[in-house]
Amino acid sequence: MAEGPRLTVYSRAYCHLCDDLLAALVPLAQRAGVAVEIVDVDSDAGLEAAYGDKVPVLMAGEREICHYHLDRAALDAYLAGIG
């Protein structure tokens, strides 16, 4: 069975920007039928080094859609391209 589209949010537990981005993203992703995976950058030294203070980062595979705040236009463009 093929896996559908997935977005990944690189986040951390004590990040209010992460909470804000997820609160805005999750309902939009659910409506579009896109799964959202949340990855705690503090759980892996490599991820912490890569994303550090840039979190939250919203990714579609290797493509960065946005960071810090949800860029609705960029998300809409991504979702239009998969639909």
Side-chain angles (χ1 to χ4, degrees):
M1 189 159 121
E3 191 174 308
R6 173 177 302 279
L7 295 169
T8 303
V9 177
Y10 291 99
S11 180
R12 60 175 31 109
Y14 54 88
C15 170
H16 75 279
L17 291 177
C18 301
D19 295 338
D20 293 347
L21 184 136
L22 286 166
L25 172 65
V26 169
L28 299 171
Q30 287 176 337
R31 270 182 275 188
V34 176
V36 176
E37 176 184 14
I38 302 165
V39 177
D40 184 352
V41 298
D42 294 326
S43 67
D44 179 282
L47 292 175
E48 209 286 322
Y51 297 105
D53 293 331
K54 193 176 180 181
V55 296
V57 181
L58 175 59
M59 301 286 290
E62 298 296 314
R63 173 183 165 194
E64 181 180 317
I65 295 176
C66 58
H67 61 273
Y68 298 138
H69 304 282
L70 182 64
D71 181 336
R72 180 67 188 266
L75 176 63
D76 288 345
Y78 167 75
L79 293 175
I82 63 168

